[in-house]
Short mmCIF file of all heavy atoms in Angstrom, two decimals:
data_model
loop_
_atom_site.label_atom_id
_atom_site.label_comp_id
_atom_site.label_asym_id
_atom_site.label_seq_id
_atom_site.Cartn_x
_atom_site.Cartn_y
_atom_site.Cartn_z
N PHE A 67 16.56 -7.06 -96.62
CA PHE A 67 16.88 -5.63 -96.46
C PHE A 67 17.97 -5.20 -97.45
O PHE A 67 17.90 -4.14 -98.07
CB PHE A 67 17.32 -5.36 -95.02
CG PHE A 67 17.58 -3.91 -94.75
CD1 PHE A 67 16.54 -3.01 -94.59
CD2 PHE A 67 18.88 -3.42 -94.67
CE1 PHE A 67 16.78 -1.67 -94.34
CE2 PHE A 67 19.13 -2.07 -94.43
CZ PHE A 67 18.07 -1.20 -94.26
N VAL B 41 24.66 -2.50 -87.66
CA VAL B 41 24.13 -1.14 -87.84
C VAL B 41 22.69 -1.07 -87.30
O VAL B 41 22.30 -0.08 -86.67
CB VAL B 41 24.19 -0.72 -89.34
CG1 VAL B 41 23.60 0.67 -89.52
CG2 VAL B 41 25.61 -0.73 -89.80
N ALA B 45 21.45 1.42 -84.45
CA ALA B 45 20.34 2.36 -84.71
C ALA B 45 19.22 2.16 -83.69
O ALA B 45 18.59 3.14 -83.24
CB ALA B 45 19.81 2.18 -86.11
N PHE B 49 16.93 4.81 -81.70
CA PHE B 49 15.58 5.01 -82.23
C PHE B 49 14.67 3.85 -81.85
O PHE B 49 14.95 2.70 -82.19
CB PHE B 49 15.60 5.16 -83.76
CG PHE B 49 16.47 6.30 -84.21
CD1 PHE B 49 17.79 6.07 -84.57
CD2 PHE B 49 16.02 7.59 -84.16
CE1 PHE B 49 18.62 7.10 -84.94
CE2 PHE B 49 16.84 8.63 -84.53
CZ PHE B 49 18.14 8.39 -84.93
N SER B 53 10.41 1.85 -87.80
CA SER B 53 10.53 2.49 -89.13
C SER B 53 11.58 3.59 -89.12
O SER B 53 12.28 3.79 -90.12
CB SER B 53 9.17 3.04 -89.59
OG SER B 53 8.78 4.09 -88.77
N ASP B 54 11.74 4.26 -87.98
CA ASP B 54 12.80 5.27 -87.85
C ASP B 54 14.17 4.60 -87.99
O ASP B 54 15.06 5.10 -88.70
CB ASP B 54 12.73 5.97 -86.49
CG ASP B 54 11.63 7.01 -86.44
OD1 ASP B 54 11.15 7.40 -87.51
OD2 ASP B 54 11.24 7.42 -85.32
N ALA B 55 14.32 3.48 -87.29
CA ALA B 55 15.60 2.75 -87.32
C ALA B 55 15.89 2.29 -88.76
O ALA B 55 17.01 2.43 -89.23
CB ALA B 55 15.55 1.56 -86.38
N GLU B 56 14.87 1.79 -89.43
CA GLU B 56 15.06 1.32 -90.82
C GLU B 56 15.47 2.47 -91.74
O GLU B 56 16.36 2.32 -92.57
CB GLU B 56 13.77 0.69 -91.34
CG GLU B 56 13.81 -0.82 -91.30
CD GLU B 56 12.59 -1.46 -91.93
OE1 GLU B 56 12.26 -1.11 -93.06
OE2 GLU B 56 11.98 -2.31 -91.27
N ASP B 57 14.80 3.59 -91.58
CA ASP B 57 15.12 4.76 -92.40
C ASP B 57 16.57 5.18 -92.19
O ASP B 57 17.30 5.50 -93.13
CB ASP B 57 14.22 5.95 -92.02
CG ASP B 57 12.83 5.78 -92.60
OD1 ASP B 57 12.64 4.89 -93.45
OD2 ASP B 57 11.93 6.55 -92.21
N VAL B 58 16.99 5.19 -90.92
CA VAL B 58 18.35 5.62 -90.59
C VAL B 58 19.36 4.65 -91.22
O VAL B 58 20.33 5.06 -91.84
CB VAL B 58 18.54 5.74 -89.07
CG1 VAL B 58 19.99 5.92 -88.72
CG2 VAL B 58 17.74 6.89 -88.52
N VAL B 59 19.10 3.33 -91.07
CA VAL B 59 20.04 2.33 -91.60
C VAL B 59 20.12 2.45 -93.14
O VAL B 59 21.20 2.40 -93.73
CB VAL B 59 19.65 0.92 -91.17
CG1 VAL B 59 20.57 -0.12 -91.78
CG2 VAL B 59 19.70 0.80 -89.64
N GLN B 60 18.97 2.63 -93.74
CA GLN B 60 18.93 2.78 -95.20
C GLN B 60 19.76 4.01 -95.62
O GLN B 60 20.55 3.93 -96.56
CB GLN B 60 17.48 2.95 -95.63
CG GLN B 60 17.27 2.76 -97.12
CD GLN B 60 15.79 2.58 -97.43
OE1 GLN B 60 15.14 1.69 -96.89
NE2 GLN B 60 15.27 3.44 -98.24
N GLY B 61 19.56 5.09 -94.88
CA GLY B 61 20.32 6.32 -95.15
C GLY B 61 21.82 6.09 -94.98
O GLY B 61 22.62 6.60 -95.76
N ILE B 62 22.18 5.30 -93.96
CA ILE B 62 23.61 5.06 -93.68
C ILE B 62 24.23 4.33 -94.87
O ILE B 62 25.30 4.71 -95.34
CB ILE B 62 23.76 4.23 -92.37
CG1 ILE B 62 23.48 5.11 -91.17
CG2 ILE B 62 25.15 3.61 -92.27
CD1 ILE B 62 23.40 4.36 -89.82
N PHE B 63 23.58 3.29 -95.36
CA PHE B 63 24.17 2.53 -96.46
C PHE B 63 24.20 3.35 -97.76
O PHE B 63 25.17 3.26 -98.52
CB PHE B 63 23.41 1.21 -96.68
CG PHE B 63 23.84 0.16 -95.68
CD1 PHE B 63 22.97 -0.30 -94.71
CD2 PHE B 63 25.14 -0.35 -95.70
CE1 PHE B 63 23.37 -1.27 -93.78
CE2 PHE B 63 25.54 -1.31 -94.77
CZ PHE B 63 24.65 -1.76 -93.81
N THR B 64 23.19 4.15 -97.98
CA THR B 64 23.19 4.99 -99.18
C THR B 64 24.34 5.99 -99.12
O THR B 64 25.07 6.18 -100.09
CB THR B 64 21.84 5.73 -99.32
OG1 THR B 64 20.79 4.81 -99.15
CG2 THR B 64 21.70 6.39 -100.66
N SER B 87 28.36 5.81 -89.63
CA SER B 87 27.05 5.37 -89.15
C SER B 87 26.64 6.15 -87.90
O SER B 87 25.49 6.57 -87.77
CB SER B 87 27.08 3.88 -88.79
OG SER B 87 27.59 3.14 -89.86
N ALA B 90 25.65 9.61 -88.68
CA ALA B 90 24.33 9.61 -89.30
C ALA B 90 23.24 9.48 -88.22
O ALA B 90 22.21 10.16 -88.28
CB ALA B 90 24.20 8.49 -90.31
N CYS B 91 23.51 8.63 -87.22
CA CYS B 91 22.56 8.47 -86.11
C CYS B 91 22.42 9.77 -85.35
O CYS B 91 21.32 10.18 -84.98
CB CYS B 91 23.02 7.37 -85.15
SG CYS B 91 22.73 5.72 -85.75
N TYR B 92 23.57 10.43 -85.10
CA TYR B 92 23.57 11.69 -84.36
C TYR B 92 22.77 12.75 -85.10
O TYR B 92 21.95 13.46 -84.51
CB TYR B 92 25.03 12.12 -84.14
CG TYR B 92 25.20 13.47 -83.50
CD1 TYR B 92 24.54 13.77 -82.30
CD2 TYR B 92 26.03 14.43 -84.06
CE1 TYR B 92 24.71 15.01 -81.71
CE2 TYR B 92 26.19 15.67 -83.46
CZ TYR B 92 25.53 15.95 -82.30
OH TYR B 92 25.69 17.18 -81.73
N ALA B 94 20.42 12.24 -87.32
CA ALA B 94 19.01 11.85 -87.31
C ALA B 94 18.37 12.15 -85.95
O ALA B 94 17.23 12.59 -85.88
CB ALA B 94 18.86 10.39 -87.65
N LEU B 95 19.15 11.93 -84.89
CA LEU B 95 18.66 12.23 -83.53
C LEU B 95 18.36 13.71 -83.39
O LEU B 95 17.33 14.09 -82.82
CB LEU B 95 19.74 11.88 -82.50
CG LEU B 95 19.68 10.53 -81.79
CD1 LEU B 95 20.82 10.41 -80.82
CD2 LEU B 95 18.36 10.35 -81.07
N ARG B 97 17.64 15.80 -85.75
CA ARG B 97 16.46 16.15 -86.58
C ARG B 97 15.18 15.74 -85.88
O ARG B 97 14.15 16.37 -85.98
CB ARG B 97 16.54 15.45 -87.93
CG ARG B 97 17.41 16.17 -88.94
CD ARG B 97 17.06 15.70 -90.33
NE ARG B 97 17.25 14.28 -90.50
CZ ARG B 97 18.39 13.70 -90.82
NH1 ARG B 97 19.46 14.43 -91.01
NH2 ARG B 97 18.48 12.39 -90.94
#
Side-chain angles (χ1 to χ4, degrees):
Chain A
F67 184 76
Chain B
V41 179
F49 303 96
S53 66
D54 282 344
E56 259 185 52
D57 284 348
V58 169
V59 176
Q60 195 165 303
I62 286 171
F63 281 113
T64 311
S87 308
C91 283
Y92 175 52
L95 263 181
R97 278 199 301 274

